[in-house]
Amino acid sequence: MNALALMTIGFAFFAFGFFFYSRYIADKILKLDPNFTPPSKEFEDGVDFVPTNKFVLWGHHFTSVAGAAPIVGPAIAVIWGWAPAFIWVLLGTVFIAGVHDMSAIWASVRNKGYSIGTISGQILSKRARSLMMVVIFLLLLMVNAVFAVVIAGMMIKTPSSVLPVWGALVVAFFIGQAIYKFKLNLPLVSLVGVIALYALIYLGPQYPIALPDTVMGLDANAAWIILLFIYAAVASLLPVWMLLQPRDYINGLQLFVGLFALYFSFIVVSPDIVAPAFNSNVPAGTPSLFPLLFVTIACGAISGFHGLVSTGTTAKQIKCEPDARFVGYFGAVGEGLLALAAILAVSAGFASMAEWESVYTKFGAGGIGAFIDGGGKILSMGIGISPEISATMLTVMAALFAGTTMDTGVRLQRYIFQEWGDVYNLDLLKKGWVATLFAVGSCLLLAFGAGGADGKGGMIIWPLFGTTNQLMAGLTLLIITVMVMRQKGKIRYTLVPLLFLLFVTTYGLLLQLVDFYNKQNWLLIVLDCVILIATIMVCLESFSVLKKAFNKDEFK
């Protein structure tokens, strides 16, 4: 099989999803209304509620939800063969992720820009809201603590990426000023910003930056983690237009330029896929494909974290309701394109089957390293740049997206603490800086309290991320389904995906529970049970509401 064939099929399927399927969902099911006054205009404050050009907002949304996950998940999942990963990315993006992201934005826009946790209290019950908040808090805790470890590791492994990663913040700040303060031409500002980012990527290998082995008694990894959380805390308090939004926007453009270069390289090189379609010789200890495939590949197919971003920051910036289709659905398509590129890079970026097997020696092998190695070779041959610049380019791509996810995650966690302040009348917690201290403090407590001096504590609870993330997607679809019913819409387009997600992820949680018990890992056993019980109770609340609605014949 040639990589070009898979690329063509993938592009055609994504085009069908955006141009036809998403339009049907937007017009016939959600009934997006251009005359509806969105929260960005109703509550405009110049900090969190900011009416935003849909192209700029797409960049913010896309890069916030992407992170490194659309690369890592597919690059690990090909251990079962490229075909299952390829099929799940296509079907998951078009029929689940796009609908989930667009619908979550719509749900929040129709509920004053509230997060999905608060919306659950209004649509279901106060008990459901409390349970959802627990799941959301744990999910954000995992994302923030672990992505800090991932970014720190990439900067230590590839010092040439440090200058571009941190220099992008300066570029983003000036872009924010250019767009909002000086009202400069958006295409021109975008072009200058992308050129500046790639100039930094070019300079990165010439001026590599590495921290000393010890910084104030901390190793380099721990020092980077603390610096990242300091940045995330500041970014979460600044007006969204000043840094977060332009950073995400320019990163989104940078990614699409990088993706274009990578896909162009596939066309030029036309490599054959050396990985098996279905791997019958998986390494010992590899879990079964079902249900782990649907948990391992989250971003790039469907991810609950998307719902948190959609209802946490994106919905507060939607300029008009129909923009939710472009921002939400096309954001999911962007992730699908990134996941497809990752599959092709780790399946066709090696010289032989033997070389591929030498990388995939156990479950969890591959990941970003395989993507950078395989994709870097294709990129180098395709556009004629040096292997070092190719590796730097892909490393920066991954690090920038992990960074945008982390700073958005800290901002979302700040919102969670502020919403708890509203719910429980804790005036101090309603203050942004106090909520930010709690958000960052909880992440650092996990990172260093559970992980010791190296700050890798988040990795301890990371095994629960996949199932928790997908359960969050299912719960978000539950809320959306109830809302669709209330406006007398057809619910099968959200009901079928949510039933599938709840089944595979609950099954996955139960399998993990057995595994944790066999390993006597009591912390993960307790957290697994908390997440499982909370999920079951929210589901019962949701289905109770659905049953009452049908009994009353309210929506027929």
Side-chain angles (χ1 to χ4, degrees):
M1 174 71 75
N2 191 278
L4 285 182
L6 293 188
M7 191 180 91
T8 303
I9 294 170
F11 277 27
F13 208 75
F14 291 145
F16 158 76
F18 179 70
F19 290 109
F20 298 101
Y21 192 69
S22 73
R23 188 177 298 278
Y24 176 79
I25 298 296
D27 295 344
K28 304 298 183 182
I29 308 303
L30 302 181
K31 301 173 184 176
L32 301 182
D33 183 2
N35 297 315
F36 183 84
T37 302
S40 66
K41 294 181 179 178
E42 185 178 358
F43 308 110
E44 185 174 357
D45 60 6
V47 178
D48 295 320
F49 293 88
V50 179
T52 304
N53 177 287
K54 69 178 182 179
F55 297 103
V56 175
L57 185 55
W58 169 84
H60 158 69
H61 176 81
F62 168 50
T63 52
S64 294
V65 299
I71 297 171
V72 176
I76 291 175
V78 294
I79 198 167
W80 291 299
W82 61 260
F86 178 74
I87 294 169
W88 172 230
V89 164
L90 264 57
L91 296 179
T93 296
V94 170
F95 295 113
I96 306 181
V99 176
H100 168 275
D101 293 15
M102 172 172 59
S103 301
I105 295 172
W106 164 78
S108 183
V109 167
R110 289 296 175 99
N111 286 277
K112 299 182 179 181
Y114 288 139
S115 73
I116 193 65
T118 302
I119 294 170
S120 67
Q122 297 177 333
I123 301 298
L124 301 177
S125 67
K126 291 182 179 179
R127 181 168 55 244
R129 177 190 62 197
S130 299
L131 294 167
M132 285 277 283
M133 288 291 199
V134 171
V135 178
I136 291 169
F137 176 77
L138 288 174
L139 181 58
L140 288 173
L141 193 64
M142 295 177 200
V143 169
N144 294 333
V146 170
F147 272 49
V149 176
V150 171
I151 300 166
M154 283 191 281
M155 288 192 289
I156 290 172
K157 182 181 178 182
T158 313
S160 60
S161 68
V162 176
L163 179 62
V165 167
W166 291 96
L169 301 181
V170 180
V171 174
F173 176 80
F174 282 109
I175 285 176
Q177 299 297 312
I179 294 175
Y180 288 98
K181 285 282 188 179
F182 300 106
K183 311 293 184 183
L184 298 182
N185 179 268
L186 181 60
L188 177 62
V189 171
S190 304
L191 178 62
V192 172
V194 170
I195 292 172
L197 277 184
Y198 277 94
L200 288 170
I201 290 174
Y202 174 76
L203 292 172
Q206 301 177 48
Y207 301 98
I209 299 173
L211 290 180
D213 292 338
T214 304
V215 181
M216 299 178 63
L218 298 171
D219 66 17
N221 191 81
W224 275 127
I225 289 173
I226 291 175
L227 286 173
L228 286 165
F229 274 114
I230 291 173
Y231 153 71
V234 173
S236 76
L237 288 170
L238 289 175
V240 71
W241 63 266
M242 189 174 289
L243 183 60
L244 184 67
Q245 189 192 89
R247 165 177 157 83
D248 293 350
Y249 170 63
I250 201 65
N251 284 351
L253 293 180
Q254 181 260 348
L255 171 68
F256 258 70
V257 172
L259 271 180
F260 176 81
L262 187 55
Y263 279 122
F264 177 78
S265 298
F266 279 116
I267 294 173
V268 172
V269 179
S270 189
D272 289 327
I273 292 176
V274 299
F278 296 92
N279 192 4
S280 58
N281 188 33
V282 294
T286 301
S288 61
L289 183 150
F290 185 87
L292 266 295
L293 170 69
F294 307 101
V295 171
T296 304
I297 300 180
C299 294
I302 171 64
S303 168
F305 182 73
H306 294 196
L308 302 185
V309 175
S310 296
T311 63
T313 60
T314 305
K316 294 178 175 65
Q317 302 168 66
I318 284 286
K319 197 171 185 178
C320 67
E321 198 173 73
D323 284 356
R325 173 175 169 258
F326 180 83
V327 174
Y329 197 99
F330 192 58
V333 169
E335 283 219 322
L337 287 168
L338 182 55
L340 176 60
I343 292 171
L344 296 178
V346 300
S347 299
F350 298 94
S352 64
M353 175 70 166
E355 185 180 348
W356 182 85
E357 287 182 328
S358 70
V359 173
Y360 286 88
T361 55
K362 63 178 181 178
F363 184 72
I368 287 180
F371 170 73
I372 291 173
D373 291 342
K377 292 175 184 175
I378 300 293
L379 199 58
S380 179
M381 291 187 290
I383 60 177
I385 58 179
S386 72
E388 185 180 20
I389 292 180
S390 296
T392 299
M393 184 173 168
L394 296 182
T395 301
V396 169
M397 184 187 297
L400 285 176
F401 285 127
T404 55
T405 298
M406 181 184 166
D407 54 26
T408 299
V410 171
R411 196 179 193 96
L412 291 172
Q413 207 160 21
R414 188 251 288 179
Y415 291 158
I416 293 296
F417 278 105
Q418 286 181 300
E419 288 181 4
W420 276 339
D422 288 332
V423 171
Y424 299 108
N425 293 317
L426 302 172
D427 291 335
L428 187 62
L429 202 56
K430 296 177 186 178
K431 298 179 184 295
W433 67 271
V434 175
T436 298
L437 286 178
F438 273 91
V440 173
S442 59
C443 294
L444 290 174
L445 183 63
L446 173 63
F448 290 95
D454 63 359
K456 295 183 179 180
M459 305 306 295
I460 293 173
I461 63 173
W462 185 248
L464 280 170
F465 170 76
T467 46
T468 306
N469 185 43
Q470 300 301 66
L471 282 172
M472 191 67 237
L475 296 177
T476 300
L477 285 170
L478 264 176
I479 308 300
I480 292 166
T481 300
V482 174
M483 289 185 62
V484 170
M485 285 187 65
R486 287 184 172 172
Q487 68 172 24
K488 301 182 180 180
K490 298 176 183 177
I491 64 172
R492 60 176 174 269
Y493 299 99
T494 54
L495 183 63
V496 172
L498 82 83
L499 291 175
F500 172 74
L501 281 174
L502 290 177
F503 172 71
V504 297
T505 49
T506 302
Y507 182 29
L509 264 180
L510 292 172
L511 289 179
Q512 284 186 313
L513 191 60
V514 173
D515 182 54
F516 298 151
Y517 179 78
N518 291 335
K519 294 177 180 177
Q520 299 292 289
N521 193 326
W522 298 108
L523 173 63
L524 293 184
I525 288 173
V526 171
L527 289 177
D528 194 311
C529 290
V530 168
I531 294 166
L532 188 59
I533 292 169
T535 299
I536 291 172
M537 292 183 70
V538 173
C539 288
L540 291 175
E541 295 274 351
S542 302
F543 288 125
S544 174
V545 171
L546 291 172
K547 183 180 178 181
K548 289 177 183 177
F550 278 118
N551 288 341
K552 289 180 180 179
D553 200 35
E554 184 177 346
F555 305 115
K556 295 181 183 178

